[in-house]
Amino acid sequence: MIENGALLPMFYLPPLEYFKVLNDFKSDIWIEQHEHFPKQTYRNRANIYTPDGALSLVVPVVKGSKVHTSVKDVKISYDFRWQRLHWMSLQACYRRSAYFEYYENDFAPFYEKRFDFLFDYNQQLLELIIKLMKMKLNISYTSDYERNYPESVQDYRSSISAKKEQAFEQKPYFQVFEDRHGFLKNLSIVDLLFNQGPQAINYL
């Protein structure tokens, strides 16, 4: 049983709010790996800034990955070429950003190589982003599922939600298409990374 720190789900290219939590807790972070897979969450979707506003990139999962499938066992579906779609979207949206080309070769393999399990895919992407942002974190993983934790544990498993507007405060930084739609809050961390580069960690 976890007694202190922050408990987070494993997300795909997580939103900025997620990284704010990582940065706040640094040495006391737990990631849930035994929850049942909830649909329509950041576990398999990320929001980026396109010329038309926010767009959700969704990693499709194998049918049958219902509510009662453990998140560790959810398999990625390759029924259509979603990797190509995601990579073309990232290129189209961020090619004009200051640092996309700087990081491009780090991210490209994730859109070429096949991964069987969503959790493993997300985990390796998360490790890459943490390394690129030079964050010094101590991350542990849950050994079983607990519905409730003591009050000393900050449980973020359902509070960082793709379905509702977050109250989380955020100061603007430069975004490629902000002249069209203004500043968009809480996009995927890659929006911050591609626009701010090495300064991203200072922004957090």
Side-chain angles (χ1 to χ4, degrees), residues 114-131:
R114 282 196 174 204
F115 290 74
D116 289 333
F117 293 96
L118 177 68
F119 191 93
D120 297 341
Y121 181 62
N122 288 349
Q123 182 180 23
Q124 289 186 39
L125 267 170
L126 180 65
E127 287 169 358
L128 169 67
I129 296 165
I130 288 168
K131 185 178 90 174

Side-chain angles (χ1 to χ4, degrees), residues 29-161:
I29 297 157
W30 293 83
I31 290 184
E32 174 66 75
Q33 60 176 351
H34 294 284
E35 64 180 354
H36 287 153
F37 178 67
K39 293 197 162 182
Q40 294 184 317
T41 69
Y42 289 125
R43 287 157 184 82
N44 67 324
R45 70 183 55 218
N47 292 333
I48 63 170
Y49 203 150
T50 79
D52 300 317
L55 171 73
S56 282
L57 298 178
V58 180
V59 179
V61 297
V62 171
K63 292 280 184 287
S65 297
K66 299 289 188 223
V67 192
H68 299 303
T69 306
S70 171
V71 74
K72 281 279 282 179
D73 299 326
V74 172
K75 288 192 165 184
I76 297 173
S77 169
Y78 292 94
D79 287 349
F80 77 95
R81 297 175 67 189
W82 65 270
Q83 284 173 296
R84 182 170 180 271
L85 177 68
H86 285 208
W87 188 236
M88 285 173 65
S89 299
L90 288 167
Q91 287 178 310
C93 295
Y94 295 107
R95 177 64 69 202
R96 284 171 48 207
S97 68
Y99 294 96
F100 179 79
E101 289 185 1
Y102 187 70
Y103 298 118
E104 184 175 10
N105 291 340
D106 294 304
F107 284 93
F110 288 91
Y111 298 94
E112 294 159 0
K113 178 186 165 193
R114 282 196 174 204
F115 290 74
D116 289 333
F117 293 96
L118 177 68
F119 191 93
D120 297 341
Y121 181 62
N122 288 349
Q123 182 180 23
Q124 289 186 39
L125 267 170
L126 180 65
E127 287 169 358
L128 169 67
I129 296 165
I130 288 168
K131 185 178 90 174
L132 295 178
M133 291 184 65
K134 297 183 166 59
M135 298 176 81
K136 292 185 167 46
L137 305 174
N138 180 30
I139 295 177
S140 306
Y141 292 85
T142 58
S143 55
D144 50 27
Y145 179 76
E146 300 279 348
R147 183 181 293 277
N148 299 306
Y149 284 91
E151 285 184 6
S152 53
V153 176
Q154 297 289 315
D155 187 348
Y156 291 95
R157 288 176 296 181
S158 57
S159 62
I160 302 177
S161 169

Side-chain angles (χ1 to χ4, degrees), residues 1-7 25 28-30 150-154:
M1 174 73 108
I2 306 167
E3 293 182 356
N4 290 294
L7 176 63
F25 283 87
D28 221 356
I29 297 157
W30 293 83
E151 285 184 6
S152 53
V153 176
Q154 297 289 315

